[in-house]
Amino acid sequence: IGATDAEGRPLAIDPNSGGLPLELKSKAVADMNKLGSNAELWNFNEGTGKWELQTASQLKVNGEVAPNAAAAATSTTNNARGSNGAGRKMKMKKKGYREDFAEKVAGNEWLESGCMSPEAFKDAVAKGGEKSLATNVQKMGYINCDLAYHHPQRAVMLQGLVQNSDGEPLAAHQVWSVGVDYSGRCPDVTGEDGKFRALISQFDSEVKVEVQHRKRMTDDSMVSVTFENANDWSRLASKKVRKVMLAVAGTYKKGPEEFSWVKTNKKEVVARISWSRERRQWHHLSNGETVFFCDGDDPAQGPFTNGSDPGGSWYPYKVLASEMHGCPAPIYDRGFVMETHTFGPFKTGPPGEFFEVGELKLACK
């Protein structure tokens, strides 16, 4: 969740405001009896790289407070504070959105309902059909409504080997476990040996395994712009050079003009590759300024360079040439299309065990 002002600057939530109301609709179902836990709200702390339990705002399911850690924490705070100084707060069961609206227009919004019973909560999340999940978000960023997997108490670790059609291992491939009889996805990445070893899944459940394979395109509908060995040269680059390189790196799609490709950000063109008929050159522009160029003969061949020869015949333009200090020109290659290969379903076993799915062979070279 994020928000910006009219000039694109990020906004934060006032810590004294009570949070930003958020309501989501979901058709996901969960068997809480099986999982032995309640759904909690989590905020992602980008500083620590960890999910943190959120207890400042209650989670409501179909308008009723869910019985989790936030309900306990806010109930303790309310009871300690009280609404009339007597150390308690009047409780009133709300039956739906109309009653809630009626209370507000009648001046009864100060009345707080008690939370759902554990049985009512389990019934609500186990039912099919659309349900409402609502809370007051306390800060911008990633939030999640889930239970914590404390391996090995609640999780199963899937293991397997990803291969191409010739039986060769495929490294650096994204792998996902996808619940069939539950709602959830967890990621892992294959190692140099093509194996994945820490793909979390729910125990005693049906799960499919998705493997994502990047396949290089054969046409010129997309251009992929990358820099090699960035860790080696980025320390020598000036702030201006790094900014330009971040702007030009990425995926470009065919532009409206002939022999042109554009990179966009929120529908705005931030960089462009185009052919100059007058100069017989390819020009790479960032914010309207040429930053790299390449001499060429036939524009129909495109701006592509040989990936085995980093930088190819592309060179920094005069505005950057004096500041590059050995930093390479980008590599221009054809784009990629992401293919998803699905295997299973597999039936996992008891919690705390590793589950071997075997060899997953993709129909690719």
Side-chain angles (χ1 to χ4, degrees):
I1 297 174
T4 59
D5 61 15
E7 298 179 359
R9 293 173 297 195
L11 297 174
I13 298 176
D14 184 347
N16 299 317
S17 67
L20 178 69
L22 173 69
E23 181 182 14
L24 302 176
K25 302 291 186 179
S26 175
K27 294 183 179 179
V29 296
D31 185 348
M32 307 310 292
N33 286 316
K34 174 181 177 180
L35 299 175
S37 179
N38 290 328
E40 302 286 357
L41 286 174
W42 305 81
N43 291 111
F44 186 70
N45 187 323
E46 296 187 3
T48 63
K50 296 181 179 180
W51 290 93
E52 297 177 346
L53 183 63
Q54 195 276 109
T55 59
S57 295
Q58 296 173 338
L59 170 67
K60 293 187 177 182
V61 180
N62 295 335
E64 296 190 75
V65 178
N68 59 8
T74 52
S75 175
T76 300
T77 302
N78 288 337
N79 287 335
R81 181 181 65 243
S83 61
N84 57 5
R88 65 183 183 87
K89 196 163 188 178
M90 184 175 180
K91 299 292 180 181
M92 174 178 175
K93 183 176 179 60
K94 296 179 183 178
K95 298 181 179 180
Y97 300 113
R98 291 186 178 180
E99 287 83 356
D100 186 52
F101 172 78
E103 289 171 13
K104 289 182 178 179
V105 297
N108 294 329
E109 66 273 14
W110 59 273
L111 297 173
E112 280 193 16
S113 63
C115 70
M116 311 167 69
S117 68
E119 292 74 20
F121 173 69
K122 292 175 183 178
D123 290 342
V125 297
K127 289 181 180 177
E130 188 174 81
K131 54 185 68 70
S132 165
L133 301 173
T135 188
N136 282 351
V137 179
Q138 300 298 315
K139 65 179 182 178
M140 299 297 186
Y142 292 100
I143 63 170
N144 189 21
C145 177
D146 211 340
L147 61 88
Y149 270 132
H150 297 296
H151 177 73
Q153 287 81 14
R154 294 184 184 144
V156 170
M157 289 286 194
L158 303 185
Q159 299 180 326
L161 171 62
V162 178
Q163 301 173 319
N164 64 13
S165 56
D166 293 330
E168 298 171 335
L170 294 175
H173 274 56
Q174 181 71 65
V175 186
W176 292 90
S177 67
V178 183
V180 176
D181 54 1
Y182 70 96
S183 299
R185 292 169 61 91
C186 287
D188 197 11
V189 178
T190 59
E192 291 295 328
D193 56 0
K195 294 182 178 180
F196 56 92
R197 298 175 172 84
L199 188 59
I200 294 176
S201 175
Q202 187 170 289
F203 66 89
D204 290 336
S205 301
E206 284 195 347
V207 60
K208 292 183 179 180
V209 176
E210 291 183 355
V211 181
Q212 293 180 332
H213 173 70
R214 289 208 317 165
K215 181 179 179 180
R216 190 174 298 283
M217 303 176 69
T218 56
D219 60 19
D220 63 354
S221 59
M222 298 174 65
V223 177
S224 173
V225 179
T226 58
F227 292 90
E228 284 196 342
N229 304 318
N231 289 334
D232 297 335
W233 53 258
S234 60
R235 296 188 303 271
L236 304 175
S238 66
K239 185 177 180 180
K240 177 181 178 181
V241 169
R242 289 197 298 269
K243 183 177 180 180
V244 168
M245 290 183 167
L246 284 173
V248 302
T251 300
Y252 292 68
K253 296 182 180 180
K254 264 285 184 68
E257 297 88 13
E258 187 180 25
F259 307 130
S260 72
W261 291 261
V262 295
K263 175 186 174 182
T264 58
N265 180 20
K266 296 181 180 179
K267 299 184 179 180
E268 279 190 340
V269 175
V270 296
R272 178 188 303 271
I273 303 169
S274 60
W275 172 254
S276 172
R277 289 184 175 85
E278 295 77 14
R279 294 180 176 270
R280 306 293 296 174
Q281 289 179 336
W282 289 102
H283 287 180
H284 198 158
L285 297 87
S286 173
N287 293 323
E289 184 178 40
T290 301
V291 290
F292 294 101
F293 74 98
C294 174
D295 294 321
D297 295 320
D298 183 6
Q301 294 181 353
F304 308 108
T305 57
N306 187 353
S308 63
D309 179 19
S313 57
W314 281 85
Y315 302 95
Y317 202 60
K318 55 186 178 182
V319 296
L320 273 185
S322 62
E323 300 186 42
M324 290 295 287
H325 300 301
C327 300
I331 296 173
Y332 296 76
D333 215 331
R334 300 183 189 277
F336 293 89
V337 60
M338 190 68 72
E339 295 180 338
T340 299
H341 301 254
T342 304
F343 301 87
F346 304 96
K347 179 67 176 180
T348 63
E353 295 188 357
F354 289 94
F355 184 86
E356 180 66 45
V357 300
E359 298 176 354
L360 305 180
K361 190 167 289 190
L362 310 188
C364 64
K365 295 292 186 179

